[in-house]
Amino acid sequence: MGRTPFPTPPSPGAAARPGVNPPGAARHNGPERRTLVVGRGISVQGSVQDAERLVVEGTVESSLITATELEVAQGGVFRGAVEVEDAEVAGTVDGTLTVNGSLTIRASGRLIGKAKCRRLQVEEGGQITGQLEMITEAAAPRPSFNEAAEAAEEKNEEAAS
């Protein structure tokens, strides 16, 4: 009971131990990226803008998310449409996933719906149900993801009227 509910931040004069990242520190070298983490037991609905990295440990429902990186942790659920450079799925993605770079489906991962990616890796046990399209350099131009999302949004607004 004498324990504080949140870790206390290090004092400004405290020296960092070499090779040890403080809690919450980025795991990469270079400038910090804008990261949104939806923790276990948390549900979020709506759109996400300007996040470079989205980590889903809980549940996210969205009509459109654009980010650089998507990580759906084991037990996490993403429903909706997302366009990213790279994605790693250890939980469930149900909807439309566009990955301009690498898509990795972990052994516990499930992808349900439609996916487009340039590179694909599926671990033994990973599941893909639906439509999968590989992006190639010679692909014919199609409406952009944003144009398709805007058209869908306009359709939803008309239906609500």
Side-chain angles (χ1 to χ4, degrees), residues 147-161:
E147 290 170 353
E150 288 171 4
E153 192 172 300
E154 287 174 8
K155 182 180 176 184
N156 288 339
E157 288 174 2
E158 289 173 8
S161 303

mmCIF file of all heavy atoms in Angstrom, residues 147-161:
data_model
loop_
_atom_site.group_PDB
_atom_site.id
_atom_site.type_symbol
_atom_site.label_atom_id
_atom_site.label_comp_id
_atom_site.label_asym_id
_atom_site.label_seq_id
_atom_site.Cartn_x
_atom_site.Cartn_y
_atom_site.Cartn_z
ATOM 1 N N GLU A 147 -8.972 9.826 -51.317
ATOM 2 C CA GLU A 147 -10.135 10.101 -52.159
ATOM 3 C C GLU A 147 -11.221 9.063 -51.909
ATOM 4 O O GLU A 147 -12.395 9.404 -51.804
ATOM 5 C CB GLU A 147 -9.733 10.090 -53.643
ATOM 6 C CG GLU A 147 -8.878 11.268 -54.055
ATOM 7 C CD GLU A 147 -8.310 11.101 -55.460
ATOM 8 O OE1 GLU A 147 -8.474 10.020 -56.060
ATOM 9 O OE2 GLU A 147 -7.696 12.058 -55.952
ATOM 10 N N ALA A 148 -10.845 7.808 -51.785
ATOM 11 C CA ALA A 148 -11.821 6.749 -51.533
ATOM 12 C C ALA A 148 -12.462 6.931 -50.160
ATOM 13 O O ALA A 148 -13.669 6.748 -49.996
ATOM 14 C CB ALA A 148 -11.155 5.378 -51.628
ATOM 15 N N ALA A 149 -11.675 7.311 -49.166
ATOM 16 C CA ALA A 149 -12.202 7.521 -47.818
ATOM 17 C C ALA A 149 -13.149 8.715 -47.785
ATOM 18 O O ALA A 149 -14.190 8.677 -47.135
ATOM 19 C CB ALA A 149 -11.064 7.714 -46.833
ATOM 20 N N GLU A 150 -12.799 9.797 -48.508
ATOM 21 C CA GLU A 150 -13.665 10.971 -48.552
ATOM 22 C C GLU A 150 -14.994 10.633 -49.222
ATOM 23 O O GLU A 150 -16.056 11.065 -48.779
ATOM 24 C CB GLU A 150 -12.976 12.114 -49.302
ATOM 25 C CG GLU A 150 -11.841 12.752 -48.515
ATOM 26 C CD GLU A 150 -11.041 13.735 -49.343
ATOM 27 O OE1 GLU A 150 -11.396 13.994 -50.512
ATOM 28 O OE2 GLU A 150 -10.038 14.242 -48.812
ATOM 29 N N ALA A 151 -14.963 9.839 -50.288
ATOM 30 C CA ALA A 151 -16.192 9.434 -50.957
ATOM 31 C C ALA A 151 -17.062 8.595 -50.023
ATOM 32 O O ALA A 151 -18.279 8.775 -49.952
ATOM 33 C CB ALA A 151 -15.875 8.652 -52.228
ATOM 34 N N ALA A 152 -16.441 7.689 -49.266
ATOM 35 C CA ALA A 152 -17.186 6.865 -48.320
ATOM 36 C C ALA A 152 -17.786 7.732 -47.213
ATOM 37 O O ALA A 152 -18.917 7.506 -46.780
ATOM 38 C CB ALA A 152 -16.286 5.791 -47.725
ATOM 39 N N GLU A 153 -17.034 8.724 -46.746
ATOM 40 C CA GLU A 153 -17.505 9.622 -45.702
ATOM 41 C C GLU A 153 -18.705 10.429 -46.192
ATOM 42 O O GLU A 153 -19.695 10.595 -45.480
ATOM 43 C CB GLU A 153 -16.369 10.541 -45.260
ATOM 44 C CG GLU A 153 -16.670 11.302 -43.991
ATOM 45 C CD GLU A 153 -15.456 12.041 -43.499
ATOM 46 O OE1 GLU A 153 -14.430 11.384 -43.212
ATOM 47 O OE2 GLU A 153 -15.529 13.272 -43.403
ATOM 48 N N GLU A 154 -18.645 10.938 -47.444
ATOM 49 C CA GLU A 154 -19.751 11.693 -48.017
ATOM 50 C C GLU A 154 -20.995 10.804 -48.133
ATOM 51 O O GLU A 154 -22.103 11.227 -47.835
ATOM 52 C CB GLU A 154 -19.372 12.239 -49.392
ATOM 53 C CG GLU A 154 -18.389 13.387 -49.339
ATOM 54 C CD GLU A 154 -17.921 13.819 -50.719
ATOM 55 O OE1 GLU A 154 -18.467 13.330 -51.729
ATOM 56 O OE2 GLU A 154 -16.993 14.645 -50.773
ATOM 57 N N LYS A 155 -20.779 9.545 -48.518
ATOM 58 C CA LYS A 155 -21.892 8.606 -48.636
ATOM 59 C C LYS A 155 -22.542 8.377 -47.275
ATOM 60 O O LYS A 155 -23.763 8.343 -47.147
ATOM 61 C CB LYS A 155 -21.386 7.281 -49.218
ATOM 62 C CG LYS A 155 -22.474 6.243 -49.421
ATOM 63 C CD LYS A 155 -21.886 4.976 -50.008
ATOM 64 C CE LYS A 155 -22.928 3.906 -50.122
ATOM 65 N NZ LYS A 155 -22.357 2.644 -50.587
ATOM 66 N N ASN A 156 -21.717 8.245 -46.218
ATOM 67 C CA ASN A 156 -22.236 8.052 -44.867
ATOM 68 C C ASN A 156 -23.014 9.274 -44.404
ATOM 69 O O ASN A 156 -24.044 9.147 -43.741
ATOM 70 C CB ASN A 156 -21.108 7.747 -43.883
ATOM 71 C CG ASN A 156 -20.537 6.362 -44.078
ATOM 72 O OD1 ASN A 156 -21.190 5.491 -44.657
ATOM 73 N ND2 ASN A 156 -19.326 6.159 -43.619
ATOM 74 N N GLU A 157 -22.533 10.484 -44.731
ATOM 75 C CA GLU A 157 -23.217 11.709 -44.339
ATOM 76 C C GLU A 157 -24.570 11.814 -45.043
ATOM 77 O O GLU A 157 -25.555 12.225 -44.441
ATOM 78 C CB GLU A 157 -22.353 12.927 -44.659
ATOM 79 C CG GLU A 157 -21.157 13.077 -43.743
ATOM 80 C CD GLU A 157 -20.231 14.199 -44.145
ATOM 81 O OE1 GLU A 157 -20.531 14.907 -45.133
ATOM 82 O OE2 GLU A 157 -19.206 14.366 -43.473
ATOM 83 N N GLU A 158 -24.622 11.422 -46.332
ATOM 84 C CA GLU A 158 -25.870 11.454 -47.077
ATOM 85 C C GLU A 158 -26.878 10.462 -46.498
ATOM 86 O O GLU A 158 -28.059 10.746 -46.384
ATOM 87 C CB GLU A 158 -25.627 11.137 -48.554
ATOM 88 C CG GLU A 158 -24.909 12.248 -49.304
ATOM 89 C CD GLU A 158 -24.525 11.837 -50.729
ATOM 90 O OE1 GLU A 158 -24.950 10.747 -51.173
ATOM 91 O OE2 GLU A 158 -23.818 12.612 -51.365
ATOM 92 N N ALA A 159 -26.391 9.297 -46.101
ATOM 93 C CA ALA A 159 -27.261 8.271 -45.532
ATOM 94 C C ALA A 159 -27.810 8.718 -44.182
ATOM 95 O O ALA A 159 -28.929 8.359 -43.814
ATOM 96 C CB ALA A 159 -26.509 6.955 -45.388
ATOM 97 N N ALA A 160 -27.028 9.490 -43.431
ATOM 98 C CA ALA A 160 -27.464 9.956 -42.111
ATOM 99 C C ALA A 160 -28.501 11.070 -42.227
ATOM 100 O O ALA A 160 -29.231 11.342 -41.275
ATOM 101 C CB ALA A 160 -26.254 10.434 -41.301
ATOM 102 N N SER A 161 -28.578 11.744 -43.378
ATOM 103 C CA SER A 161 -29.509 12.867 -43.559
ATOM 104 C C SER A 161 -30.937 12.411 -43.712
ATOM 105 O O SER A 161 -31.291 11.412 -44.159
ATOM 106 C CB SER A 161 -29.140 13.684 -44.783
ATOM 107 O OG SER A 161 -27.832 14.148 -44.670
#
